[in-house]
Amino acid sequence: MPELLVELKAPNGRKYKQPIGLFINNEFVQSSSEAKITSISPTDESEIVAVYAASSHDVDKAVIAARAAFKDPSWRDMSSTDRGNMMIKLASLVEAHSETLATIETWDNGKPYQVALNEDVAEVAGTLRYYGGYADKIHGQVINTSPDKFAYTLREPLGVCGQIIPWNYPLAMGAWKLGPALACGNTVVLKAAEQTPLSILYFAQLIKEAGFPPGVINILNGHGKEAGAAIASHAGIDKIAFTGSTATGRQIMKMASVNLKNITLETGGKSPLIVFADADLDQAVKWSHIGIMSNMGQICTATSRILVEESIYDKFVSLFKEQVKSVSKVGDPFSDETFQGPQVTKAQYDKVLSYIESGKSEGATLAMGGEAHKDLNGKGFFIAPTVFTNVKDNMKIYREEVFGPFVVIASFNSETEAVERANDTTYGLGSAVFTENLTKAHRVARAIEAGMVWINSSNDSDYRIPFGGVKQSGIGRELGEEGLKAYTNAKAVHVNLGTRL
């Protein structure tokens, strides 16, 4: 039997045992083909470790395990309170292992360690605890019709849920999907992103320790074109939840149609941020910076299109550049001084650089950045924070999602123009409005075509508040009470009390 736990020492000196197998039925196993995926550190381009990659045959095994667990009394008949307490115990275990989880996330993904620890891992624990508290508060209702009928509804779990998570927030996106699915009594087959499989595999160990029965949660590594496609098209899976690109989301929808799966998609975005002349300019600059430059710009809701009222445009651009220079320190993600680590992979690094060249060729003004940022050894997928001004609405860099530390800043002359240009996109995920005029803020918030609007902030999401988009940014909602709706069916029960034929 091959070794499925590998002892590693991270760049910050932390030693731990890294699982490399597929987590099926509460055990780590090798893949049927024995194929592996090598995880690369984006900071220095070195190999971290190779993990087993699932084939469609392995997906079958995981689905069978999940279906058996769904039907088994140990899960099916567990009281909702006990189920919730198990989730809360898992949240506590995440907190107990927070430093190791954050270390792995930083090493494998490239995000700053302090962000991984204090934001991402904290959000994982918070999300699981939040939905653990909801587990025994999911209920139907009695519906009054007539004295001859007693009618009520039950909220029932869907069954086996396939969940495909992205590489930008591996642990957090896992929690966003696992939380509501488990609270509602479903079982799960979750696929990690092939670029960042390590942290969620370590997390899998905690699932067994928390007491979840075998097969309730199964976690697979694997390539999207094989394992992801097998999950999306599997007739034994009742629901698919996916976070990733819009192009992949379209393919997921097609494959899920084989058995008309319940579907939740959270896909791409090109979110606008509107700054009116009456805004608190200092706050608008700081939040605008956070909205696009945090997490290396690798955020689906990143407010990557900044629209500034003409009368303050030059001043805003000047202050924004100063904010980038003073805050966006690029470097070693394990350093506490670092704000921006590397892009997650060479492919993503190359993609961002290609958009920089596109912006130059289309005639936009490169106001700052626009080049690779290498460390002393010339290694790592680092890119200098990049700002383009004098951008036209038909330019590629204005219309397409870049997913990097890359922002375009344009001007507008009226509220009507700002809203029209904000809505001139195929996407509709996030948006932001900066103004001290409360009436204007609410008016614009209603007019913007997006699933979320931040007023005088950007990207300060919360697991208690629904998250999702419109248009080609997705279907359905995650987080908050709304997120539970995606993981239950409403069953109507009609009781005849007096109607006789």
Side-chain angles (χ1 to χ4, degrees), residues 251-487:
Q251 295 303 312
I252 294 285
M253 283 190 74
K254 290 178 183 178
M255 290 182 280
S257 67
V258 66
N259 62 333
L260 297 182
K261 288 180 179 65
N262 178 308
I263 191 165
T264 302
L265 300 176
E266 195 267 283
T267 52
K270 190 72 174 178
S271 300
L273 184 150
I274 302 171
V275 182
F276 287 100
D278 62 357
D280 180 326
L281 197 56
D282 176 67
Q283 286 299 300
V285 166
K286 289 176 179 176
W287 278 107
S288 297
H289 172 263
I290 290 291
I292 178 59
M293 296 301 175
S294 56
N295 206 51
M296 295 72 73
Q298 297 168 156
I299 309 174
C300 52
T301 52
T303 39
S304 54
R305 287 186 299 145
I306 301 178
L307 302 171
V308 183
E309 195 158 1
E310 179 66 37
S311 62
I312 60 167
Y313 180 78
D314 290 339
K315 186 174 182 181
F316 178 91
V317 170
S318 177
L319 291 172
F320 186 86
K321 288 165 62 178
E322 286 301 316
Q323 182 73 5
V324 173
K325 288 177 184 175
S326 63
V327 177
S328 284
K329 180 178 179 181
V330 183
D332 176 10
F334 281 106
S335 169
D336 289 347
E337 298 177 359
T338 295
F339 178 87
Q340 180 186 317
Q343 306 312 121
V344 71
T345 60
K346 178 69 159 56
Q348 189 61 26
Y349 166 85
D350 288 339
K351 177 185 174 184
V352 177
L353 290 178
S354 73
Y355 274 105
I356 292 170
E357 293 308 310
S358 174
K360 292 177 182 177
S361 66
E362 286 187 305
T365 301
L366 178 60
M368 70 181 304
E371 71 276 344
H373 180 101
K374 293 293 184 181
D375 66 14
L376 295 177
N377 299 316
K379 295 289 186 180
F381 307 134
F382 298 91
I383 292 178
T386 298
V387 179
F388 276 96
T389 57
N390 300 315
V391 180
K392 306 300 182 187
D393 294 16
N394 62 349
M395 291 181 178
K396 185 177 178 180
I397 60 171
Y398 182 89
R399 307 204 69 82
E400 297 185 10
E401 184 176 40
V402 178
F403 227 61
F406 184 116
V407 69
V408 297
I409 309 178
S411 63
F412 67 87
N413 289 299
S414 70
E415 179 182 322
T416 299
E417 179 194 350
V419 171
E420 287 179 352
R421 291 174 67 188
N423 290 340
D424 182 21
T425 174
T426 59
Y427 298 113
L429 192 53
S431 60
V433 179
F434 283 83
T435 175
E436 292 295 281
N437 184 321
L438 196 59
T439 301
K440 182 194 294 183
H442 286 290
R443 183 170 63 236
V444 173
R446 279 178 174 260
I448 289 179
E449 297 166 355
M452 297 167 285
V453 182
W454 290 283
I455 296 176
N456 294 327
S457 68
S458 178
N459 278 275
D460 56 336
S461 299
D462 189 297
Y463 52 77
R464 293 160 290 197
I465 302 172
F467 184 102
V470 299
K471 299 194 278 192
Q472 292 187 39
S473 286
I475 297 170
R477 293 293 178 269
E478 295 185 308
L479 301 184
E481 185 177 8
E482 196 74 20
L484 295 165
K485 295 179 181 178
Y487 288 95

Side-chain angles (χ1 to χ4, degrees), residues 112-229:
Y113 175 77
Q114 291 300 327
V115 172
L117 179 65
N118 298 314
E119 296 180 23
D120 290 31
V121 176
E123 183 171 354
V124 172
T127 302
L128 292 172
R129 188 170 283 118
Y130 173 82
Y131 280 113
Y134 251 118
D136 58 4
K137 301 168 188 67
I138 299 166
H139 51 78
Q141 61 182 156
V142 173
I143 301 170
N144 290 318
T145 58
S146 74
D148 291 334
K149 174 175 284 195
F150 175 59
Y152 62 94
T153 60
L154 299 170
R155 301 301 309 191
E156 296 187 330
L158 301 176
V160 177
C161 301
Q163 301 181 328
I164 301 174
I165 60 174
W167 45 256
N168 56 336
Y169 290 95
L171 286 170
M173 293 299 100
W176 282 25
K177 288 174 171 52
L178 288 171
L182 297 172
C184 295
N186 298 281
T187 58
V188 174
V189 176
L190 183 147
K191 190 193 87 67
E194 57 259 42
Q195 299 88 347
T196 54
L198 303 186
S199 59
I200 200 75
L201 286 178
Y202 186 90
F203 170 85
Q205 298 177 112
L206 309 182
I207 292 166
K208 185 174 181 179
E209 188 175 346
F212 284 88
V216 171
I217 307 171
N218 305 275
I219 297 178
L220 307 179
N221 322 304
H223 294 285
K225 290 182 178 179
E226 183 170 5

